[in-house]
Amino acid sequence: MTVPAPESPSAPPTPSDNTSHALLLDLDGVLLDTRPVMRTAWRRVQELHGVTLPFHAYERHLGREFGDIMQRLGVADAEAVRRTYEAESVGAAHLAQDFTGIVEMLHAFVAAGWRLGVVTSKHVDRAAPLLARLGCPFATVRTPAGAGRTKPAPDPLLLALVDLEVDPAAAVYVGDMAVDQESAARAGVAYIHAGWGYGQPTAPEPETVASPKELLRLLRPAEQLVEGSMV
Ligand SMILES: [Mg+2]
């Protein structure tokens, strides 16, 4: 992939602007460790709705939209379950933890002029309080509330790139589940697997990094990238 030099900060966007880079990130298992939040919310679903499926059955499908997961699990009364899950998730948001080095990594990309976006299947009511704690200026946040299909479709990634005015070839998506990898492939966006997250990648084997610090070392946002591969 050819990566053009970053634009100067003062250059206004033009119709032909293709000089910016974008770092798109998944939320759960990439930006934040939200497993304690999800586990608490699922326990409440079990208590209130008589759902006997264990948390690991839910967790297997992370990355997909909640209604999609309920359908795959065969959960009845999915709308009532969603209301319980969302209310409990918002109440338990304080249980989420930053992954070590994630905030420093985000700031390094912002300082280098990259455009940052979040692409998540988490609904906006649950995503917003979690993202607020990172204190990072994400230029776009794409959730299932917007237009288009949800992951593993390419739509949310492509819509985020429209928001950011960045070409797919100049973007990277960092995810932790196979649906993230599929979404990126279908969008024509380079994919990097966050090895600190919850899932395993599938074939073809993607670039995998073990920590946010390693992602910084791989993409070197502060350097002048002229020719070569971002991944
Ligand atoms: Mg995830």
Side-chain angles (χ1 to χ4, degrees), residues 24 119 142 154-163 166 168 186-189:
L24 303 173
V119 176
R142 279 283 166 180
D155 305 23
L157 286 173
L158 295 173
L159 289 163
L161 292 174
V162 170
D163 295 340
V166 172
R186 289 166 65 183
V189 169

Side-chain angles (χ1 to χ4, degrees), residues 151-227:
K151 292 187 286 188
D155 305 23
L157 286 173
L158 295 173
L159 289 163
L161 292 174
V162 170
D163 295 340
L164 300 179
E165 299 180 333
V166 172
D167 291 8
V172 173
Y173 185 43
V174 183
D176 70 322
M177 301 298 286
V179 288
D180 300 329
Q181 187 178 354
E182 181 180 338
S183 185
R186 289 166 65 183
V189 169
Y191 175 74
I192 297 178
H193 190 80
W196 63 88
Y198 307 142
Q200 296 298 321
T202 58
E205 186 79 16
E207 188 81 51
T208 298
V209 287
S211 66
K213 207 175 204 174
E214 201 179 310
L215 182 67
L216 262 182
R217 277 200 296 266
L218 179 69
L219 293 180
R220 306 183 311 277
E223 290 181 22
Q224 184 91 357
L225 297 173
V226 181
E227 289 286 327

